[in-house]
Amino acid sequence: MTYVIDGDAVAADVRTDLAGCIDTLEGAGVTPGLATVLVGDDPASETYVSMKQRDCEELGMDGVHVALDADASPQELYEAIEKLNADPDVHGYLVQDPVPDHIDYREVLRRIDPAKDVDGFHPANVGRLVAGDPRFKPCTPHGVQKLLGAAGVDPEGEDVAIVGRSRIVGKPLANLLVQKAPGGNATVTVCHSRTTDLAAKTRAADVVVAAVGVPEMIDGSMLAEGVVVIDVGVNRVDAANEKGYELVGDVAFESASEKASAITPVPGGVGPMTRAMLLYNTVKAASEQEGVDVELP
Ligand SMILES: NC(=O)c1ccc[n+]([C@@H]2O[C@H](COP(=O)([O-])OP(=O)(O)OC[C@H]3O[C@@H](n4cnc5c(N)ncnc54)[C@H](OP(=O)(O)O)[C@@H]3O)[C@@H](O)[C@H]2O)c1
């Protein structure tokens, strides 16, 4: 029997625990504040930031949204960033990626106060993660680590193949899982588009994490019997339904399930965890900036 890892349920547990932390902060007169910054009107990005704002509302956190026109100059964005850096009510914020082509996202990241960088993408926070002293674990990799824990999968001593080496998923996840720390101690292989014989790497793994962005690329033939599969991918494919599309992962769920001992679905796997871990980082930021101890889940 394949165990389907319920990301919605694990995320709900994280949120319940965070609600307790928020009560503690409120008791000390602190309401955690998260700001989102969006340049332009990309529909997918608008959906993401509105979900983040709704999450704040649901947990009783302050949500602030800063919307800039698609043709806003880099300087206008930097000024918004300066304001957020200086605003004591904003404990954490993010600038939604992608930004328009005339803005250099790396320069944007460098200007964010690392103490408020709840995405964990500022070079100083990336460095701390690599050094084994993370301040903010990036939300999706942290969510994957939590999901593994909730499914009773200890990465220690396991061979993990991560397919994808992006700045936001593959690389930070590899760093998390390889750390000499609880939830780490794995032997990690990071695969990408230049990897030769990908299937040999995934077949040799006890845990496969797919973060590729190619619909259903990894199927059962690429997996060993009993493998744990975490599917980070979210891809829109045409479908004969009202919306005209459906979401599928990077893993062919049915065929992978024939081999896997545990697997995450899409949707309802990693996605809800990413959202929950952003709230986690915001609560952590508020606790640290305000000097109020909370017991993070
Ligand atoms: N659920 C969530 O919360 C969440 C969060 C973030 C992302 N996602 C989803 O996760 C997926 C990956 O996102 P991302 O931002 O990490 O993507 P990305 O930046 O596009 O990176 C994709 C990675 O996959 C590798 N790749 C592409 N084709 C490959 C192939 N045929 N064989 C092996 N490797 C291949 C690329 O290799 P190169 O480096 O060589 O180009 C790259 O490292 C997307 O579907 C995205 O929507 C979901």
Side-chain angles (χ1 to χ4, degrees):
M1 258 297 271
T2 306
Y3 174 55
V4 178
I5 304 170
D6 184 346
D8 286 315
V10 180
D13 287 346
V14 171
R15 283 167 183 251
T16 302
D17 291 343
L18 288 176
C21 300
I22 292 168
D23 281 349
T24 305
L25 286 160
E26 288 287 354
V30 175
T31 304
L34 173 71
T36 49
V37 181
L38 178 61
V39 187
D41 54 7
D42 173 64
S45 295
E46 278 181 342
T47 305
Y48 291 139
V49 293
S50 69
M51 287 191 311
K52 288 165 188 173
Q53 291 296 334
R54 200 174 64 215
D55 287 341
C56 284
E57 212 173 296
E58 278 172 16
L59 272 190
M61 294 168 39
D62 278 341
V64 176
H65 182 58
V66 180
L68 297 177
D69 289 340
D71 60 0
S73 67
Q75 203 50 43
E76 281 173 82
L77 176 56
Y78 300 158
E79 279 164 22
I81 287 174
E82 282 311 310
K83 271 193 197 154
L84 293 169
N85 284 345
D87 186 341
D89 294 330
V90 172
H91 300 101
Y93 71 95
L94 57 94
V95 178
Q96 187 69 39
D97 192 26
V99 291
D101 287 345
H102 66 280
I103 295 174
D104 177 358
Y105 191 62
R106 284 170 306 180
E107 179 57 25
V108 169
L109 292 178
R110 285 194 285 267
R111 287 172 183 255
I112 294 175
D113 178 350
K116 296 189 176 191
D117 166 41
V118 283
D119 264 346
F121 296 160
H122 186 286
N125 288 328
V126 175
R128 283 186 59 162
L129 178 72
V130 175
D133 174 31
R135 169 160 38 200
F136 298 119
K137 296 180 183 178
C139 304
T140 302
H142 194 187
V144 170
Q145 196 180 38
K146 286 268 177 209
L147 272 183
L148 288 172
V153 180
D154 184 350
E156 179 162 335
E158 300 289 284
D159 289 320
V160 179
I162 300 173
V163 190
R165 57 174 164 185
S166 70
R167 182 182 53 78
I168 62 169
V169 187
K171 279 196 276 197
L173 180 62
N175 276 298
L176 272 184
L177 295 182
V178 85
Q179 291 301 334
K180 199 168 188 174
N185 290 314
T187 304
V188 181
T189 302
V190 183
C191 308
H192 45 76
S193 67
R194 312 294 164 90
T195 295
T196 51
D197 202 354
L198 176 65
K201 269 84 179 175
T202 52
R203 252 185 248 123
D206 305 302
V207 177
V208 171
V209 182
V212 195
V214 178
E216 302 186 325
M217 191 189 101
I218 293 169
D219 64 19
S221 72
M222 299 172 71
L223 301 169
E225 203 67 53
V227 66
V228 173
V229 178
I230 305 290
D231 190 354
V232 179
V234 182
N235 308 291
R236 269 188 188 199
V237 294
D238 293 342
N241 59 22
E242 252 178 48
K243 288 189 274 187
Y245 70 87
E246 63 179 0
L247 296 180
V248 300
D250 291 342
V251 174
F253 185 85
E254 298 302 332
S255 101
S257 296
E258 286 170 18
K259 292 282 187 66
S261 58
I263 187 167
T264 58
V266 177
V270 175
M273 292 304 294
T274 297
R275 288 168 65 182
M277 301 329 285
L278 179 65
L279 300 169
Y280 176 108
N281 279 349
T282 307
V283 169
K284 184 172 194 282
S287 153
E288 287 173 0
Q289 284 161 42
E290 304 285 354
V292 180
D293 284 341
V294 295
E295 220 168 290
L296 286 161

